[in-house]
Amino acid sequence: MVNVELKNVVKKYGDLIAINNLSFKVNSGELMVLLGPPGAGKSSTLKMVAGIEEVTSGEILIDNESVTNFDPADRDVAMAFETYALYPHLSVFENIAFPLRAPKRSRLFSEEVVKEKVLEVAQFLEIDMLLERKPKELSGGQRQRVALGRCLIRDPKVFLLDEPIAHLDAKLRHRLRRELKKWQQRKGVTTLYTTTDYLEAFSVADRIVILNKGILQQVGSWEEIYNRPANTFVGTIVSDPPMNYFNGKVVVDGGKMLMQVKGTSFYLPSPIEEKVKQMNIGEVVLGVFPSKILMSRDENFIPGSGTIVDGIAKFTELRGSRKIVFVQTPQDLSFTIQLPAETKVQVGEHVRCFFGENEVQVFDKQSKINLFWV
Amino acid sequence: MPAFILTAGILIPFGYSVVMSFTDFNLTSGTSNFIGFGNYIKLAKDPEFWNALKVTILFTIGAVAIEVGIGFVSAYLLNLGMRGQKIWRTLFLLPVMLPPAVAAIMWKLMMAPIQGVFNYLLQLVGLPGSQWLGGSSSALFSVILIDAYVFMPFAGMIFLAGVQNLPKEPYEAAAVDGVSSWFTFRRLTIPLLKPVILIVLLFRIMDCLKQFDIVYAATKGGPASATMTISVQAYYHSFRWTNMGYAFAHLVVLWAIVYVLSYFLVGQWRKAVSEVHGY
Ligand SMILES: Nc1ncnc2c1ncn2[C@@H]1O[C@H](COP(=O)(O)OP(=O)(O)O)[C@@H](O)[C@H]1O
Ligand SMILES: [Mg+2]
């Protein structure tokens, strides 16, 4: 089995620092997703692991061996390129078969076996009826699948999949993200997978690395990330609509610590109370995911320990199986809530919202770091 | 209208030549009678014409092979990004800036059997000198060398542009897949450069088939008829021997050959472009 490790990797393009001191480890057989907005440095990271881009400093290990100075060919990785990188003059079949025809592998695969393998991969990716076509005769989504096929046909130590399903239509994307995960588990190949879509990340990943501007933000399973986002950037990127944020002052009222903002007082979770006290923090940013706010039209609704906020549903929006409600209090505090689509809410209606004490994240105002992690 | 003028401008001299090739137009006597295919029948039986055709074809094959071969290798080397890249490129381009006839005279001096630089250099390394342009067996090779000197940089520069425009990513993909560089060269570089290679072939083959100036300046077609290309032969028939009708028949045959070949090459080029670029 094969693990992959990055140690203090830095990548500069001229003056631009694309990757800044990045370290993380991918365990054997694990599917690690790099999640981040465009420009975060995901492709650069994959290319450095592949050896197409040199590291400016730092080290890359595959199978506990430093490959930092290895040629791409000697690293035994397979990569699906974000930009496809197809061979324009070769048919889909020959594009996918290309890695098997390389002199060092061609002895291992007879023409029969090559055909069989190409067909298997092509059927998996639903491009088996396109095998005779040239790349120019394909749509973007079809090209992307050819690029993916050329990668999957190999049995490498590591798969590097750079936004491998970003350009497919929604249905196929949903099927493939399940199937890709299965394929990867069946082969047991350690995988680095990038995406800008947190839902895709959550559905395929064993663990996730969140990157922003070349800097690592958080590593963890999706539960770990969703339960305790490391900072406000993570809170924003792993939720749509993004996390609600409130800036406010910390006050102590009757032994309980509260944060006050626009006439509303939120209770802080007890582990945070201690830290705020110790560090003598006066102002914090409170964050709550829209999916973690409960709502009721019942005036007596009090589900547990937390904060009640009464407001008015300003407008609602249906998004697939979810309903997004924008709420505003008389003192102008506003936030979004995510509810099941069938929830009945009238625009202009009074609603009672409940912020559970432990669903609330508290961030330092300056550094935007989750105080839970401090 | 401009298209019409352009077409007329191209067609009138061509039509005139074709018409003249069916006459016995003679500059000395001033006669010009229609003689049907007379000139062409004469041509088919003329051993000098067949020799000229052979010389032209050998010249073209030799010159184009060297220009394309060395041009390709030079483009590859220039693309490596050595130190002093700019100087290399300028030096490389020098020969193209010379008028071919001037280059021919320059080489003629260097190839002189007694005082020439080449024989001097050969002698230095202990090799026997050559008659170069003066030898019936070495003359054709010598004019080929001159043409290669003048036009190799042209081929090289076009190849260099082609190499520099190669997409980077397929090479990255091939590198990750552990494909050897020779395999990459054969399966990727050559097919991707096919349009450029065909363009160079097209230009150089057409140009070589029509070769006149270098040969005329260097050997005037001699010794004997060792370097007598069709163009030079036609020139002798027309202005030296004033037999215009017969000279035009030579040119029309040459035109036909150039036309058929370029038609074929342009077709191949179109196909290659659509294969590589998809339009
Ligand atoms: N070859 C390059 N030359 C210069 N800058 C680059 C190059 N490749 C990427 N960058 C820059 O590095 C940063 C990270 O890019 P990239 O790794 O492609 O991010 P991502 O894949 O997450 O979108 C971006 O700011 C991008 O503009
Ligand atoms: Mg990218």
Side-chain angles (χ1 to χ4, degrees):
Chain A
M1 295 297 268
V2 177
N3 56 38
V4 177
E5 191 172 1
L6 279 78
K7 280 187 181 166
N8 307 102
V9 170
V10 174
K11 175 72 192 175
K12 290 188 190 168
Y13 298 105
D15 288 338
L16 180 91
I17 302 175
I19 296 292
N20 196 345
N21 202 18
L22 181 62
S23 303
F24 64 85
K25 187 169 176 178
V26 191
N27 299 320
S28 275
E30 192 176 33
L31 195 160
M32 180 73 98
V33 169
L34 296 184
L35 174 65
K42 306 180 295 295
S43 299
S44 301
T45 306
L46 258 50
K47 285 180 179 177
M48 286 188 288
V49 175
I52 319 167
E53 288 286 356
E54 287 183 359
V55 302
T56 306
S57 68
E59 224 183 333
I60 291 172
L61 293 91
I62 295 178
D63 213 0
N64 299 319
E65 178 185 18
S66 172
V67 297
T68 317
N69 298 315
F70 282 26
D71 280 339
D74 301 327
R75 301 188 183 198
D76 196 14
V77 303
M79 178 156 175
F81 289 75
E82 183 182 8
T83 47
Y84 319 143
L86 300 181
Y87 307 122
H89 59 298
L90 297 179
S91 66
V92 169
F93 183 95
E94 286 301 327
N95 262 284
I96 297 176
F98 198 88
L100 305 185
R101 299 207 190 283
K104 73 172 176 187
R105 283 187 213 99
S106 60
R107 272 174 288 107
L108 306 175
F109 302 104
S110 67
E111 194 54 36
E112 294 299 298
V113 177
V114 170
K115 269 196 189 130
E116 213 173 277
K117 282 183 154 267
V118 172
L119 206 62
E120 183 199 7
V121 169
Q123 278 167 349
F124 172 64
L125 297 169
E126 298 180 17
I127 46 174
D128 47 318
M129 60 299 184
L130 306 173
L131 290 175
E132 297 311 315
R133 298 220 196 145
K134 293 279 177 67
K136 65 175 179 201
E137 298 161 327
L138 303 176
S139 71
Q142 290 167 337
R143 282 179 207 176
Q144 179 151 51
R145 281 177 278 160
V146 178
L148 190 51
R150 195 177 55 188
C151 173
L152 296 182
I153 200 162
R154 289 190 44 201
D155 281 302
K157 285 184 180 166
V158 182
F159 279 137
L160 303 170
L161 310 179
D162 199 358
E163 304 197 23
I165 57 174
H167 299 111
L168 308 186
D169 66 72
K171 257 217 177 90
L172 190 58
R173 197 162 66 231
H174 290 146
R175 182 183 81 79
L176 268 185
R177 70 189 189 199
R178 268 198 319 274
E179 300 280 323
L180 266 179
K181 170 86 180 172
K182 270 197 226 157
W183 178 290
Q184 182 265 344
Q185 280 174 335
R186 184 156 54 83
K187 293 214 167 188
V189 177
T190 310
T191 301
L192 270 164
Y193 181 119
T194 75
T195 178
T196 53
D197 176 356
Y198 74 101
L199 289 173
E200 184 181 328
F202 287 167
S203 80
V204 301
D206 294 317
R207 285 192 303 147
I208 301 168
V209 166
I210 298 181
L211 266 185
N212 185 33
K213 296 181 181 157
I215 298 169
L216 184 134
Q217 308 290 317
Q218 188 166 13
V219 188
S221 68
W222 91 265
E223 289 94 344
E224 286 165 343
I225 290 171
Y226 206 62
N227 287 337
R228 292 288 172 218
N231 53 37
T232 54
F233 174 83
V234 174
T236 302
I237 195 178
V238 300
S239 168
D240 182 33
M243 190 173 234
N244 297 296
Y245 298 109
F246 311 110
N247 292 295
K249 284 201 166 59
V250 178
V251 295
V252 180
D253 180 22
K256 246 328 212 175
M257 194 172 272
L258 302 167
M259 191 207 76
Q260 285 185 330
V261 50
K262 293 182 177 166
T264 305
S265 298
F266 289 96
Y267 287 105
L268 300 187
S270 10
I272 302 297
E273 280 190 357
E274 283 307 308
K275 289 185 183 170
V276 172
K277 226 176 270 167
Q278 276 167 21
M279 296 166 70
N280 198 18
I281 293 171
E283 286 181 74
V284 294
V285 178
L286 214 113
V288 195
F289 285 122
S291 61
K292 300 226 163 153
I293 302 172
L294 302 180
M295 192 204 80
S296 172
R297 298 193 290 178
D298 175 1
E299 304 237 321
N300 302 315
F301 178 66
I302 302 178
S305 162
T307 308
I308 299 285
V309 179
D310 288 313
I312 289 166
K314 279 293 180 184
F315 51 99
T316 66
E317 181 190 328
L318 210 53
R319 282 193 200 167
S321 58
R322 310 174 301 158
K323 181 173 275 176
I324 312 297
V325 183
F326 296 79
V327 179
Q328 202 171 34
T329 66
Q331 285 90 356
D332 218 19
L333 185 77
S334 54
F335 50 90
T336 54
I337 311 180
Q338 179 186 313
L339 300 160
E342 51 283 358
T343 315
K344 288 200 170 55
V345 189
Q346 303 290 323
V347 171
E349 194 176 10
H350 279 273
V351 289
R352 167 158 283 203
C353 305
F354 177 75
F355 293 69
E357 186 182 299
N358 289 312
E359 307 298 358
V360 172
Q361 312 293 335
V362 185
F363 302 97
D364 178 56
K365 187 162 183 251
Q366 253 74 48
S367 63
K368 304 285 195 278
I369 291 174
N370 195 333
L371 291 175
F372 180 86
W373 293 108
V374 174
Chain B
M1 195 62 193
F4 175 75
I5 295 174
L6 199 67
T7 319
I10 292 169
L11 282 183
I12 289 171
F14 182 74
Y16 177 75
S17 311
V18 173
V19 170
M20 292 314 282
S21 73
F22 289 105
T23 70
D24 65 354
F25 184 30
N26 186 305
L27 282 178
T28 329
S29 60
T31 54
S32 175
N33 305 306
F34 184 73
I35 55 164
F37 282 94
N39 283 327
Y40 291 98
I41 293 164
K42 191 171 150 198
L43 208 56
K45 292 182 188 156
D46 183 353
E48 287 198 354
F49 169 72
W50 289 107
N51 175 66
L53 185 62
K54 192 184 88 184
V55 166
T56 304
I57 290 171
L58 287 178
F59 175 86
T60 303
I61 292 174
V64 171
I66 296 177
E67 284 157 24
V68 168
I70 300 185
F72 201 94
V73 173
S74 327
Y76 181 76
L77 292 177
L78 283 176
N79 190 48
L80 288 182
M82 303 164 288
R83 287 213 297 174
Q85 181 100 326
K86 271 204 175 131
I87 300 170
W88 287 119
R89 283 192 192 171
T90 316
L91 283 179
F92 183 69
L93 269 181
L94 269 184
V96 203
M97 299 169 189
L98 286 174
V102 173
I105 290 164
M106 192 177 93
W107 275 68
K108 198 174 169 178
L109 291 176
M110 295 194 296
M111 284 173 165
I114 309 293
Q115 286 152 328
V117 184
F118 285 179
N119 276 355
Y120 176 72
L121 290 176
L122 284 179
Q123 197 193 325
L124 274 190
V125 293
L127 288 172
S130 166
Q131 285 295 102
W132 297 109
L133 292 162
S136 54
S137 55
S138 57
L140 183 58
F141 178 68
S142 302
V143 289
I144 286 175
L145 272 188
I146 302 174
D147 193 82
Y149 168 79
V150 177
F151 289 105
M152 184 274 287
F154 165 82
M157 275 299 147
I158 296 188
F159 284 137
L160 183 60
V163 170
Q164 286 174 339
N165 276 329
L166 285 174
K168 201 169 125 234
E169 290 174 334
Y171 286 89
E172 295 181 340
V176 171
D177 284 332
V179 179
S180 68
S181 42
W182 170 240
F183 189 77
T184 309
F185 182 75
R186 222 160 30 92
R187 295 290 308 270
L188 226 57
T189 307
I190 293 287
L192 291 177
L193 282 181
K194 213 168 149 196
V196 177
I197 295 172
L198 282 166
I199 278 289
V200 171
L201 282 178
L202 177 70
F203 277 106
R204 289 314 306 144
I205 288 178
M206 294 201 318
D207 210 35
C208 284
L209 285 174
K210 296 183 295 188
Q211 173 52 242
F212 177 81
D213 47 3
I214 288 176
V215 169
Y216 193 76
T219 65
K220 301 210 159 34
S225 291
T227 58
M228 189 67 80
T229 61
I230 295 181
S231 295
V232 175
Q233 180 89 65
Y235 172 78
Y236 279 118
H237 280 298
S238 63
F239 293 106
R240 284 287 171 84
W241 305 326
T242 68
N243 195 351
M244 295 302 277
Y246 195 43
F248 278 125
H250 278 78
L251 294 182
V252 169
V253 170
L254 186 56
W255 256 330
I257 295 172
V258 169
Y259 180 80
V260 169
L261 260 178
S262 57
Y263 186 84
F264 170 76
L265 285 171
V266 167
Q268 292 294 308
W269 173 74
R270 285 232 174 87
K271 222 174 83 189
V273 167
S274 96
E275 245 170 38
V276 173
H277 301 293
Y279 48 78

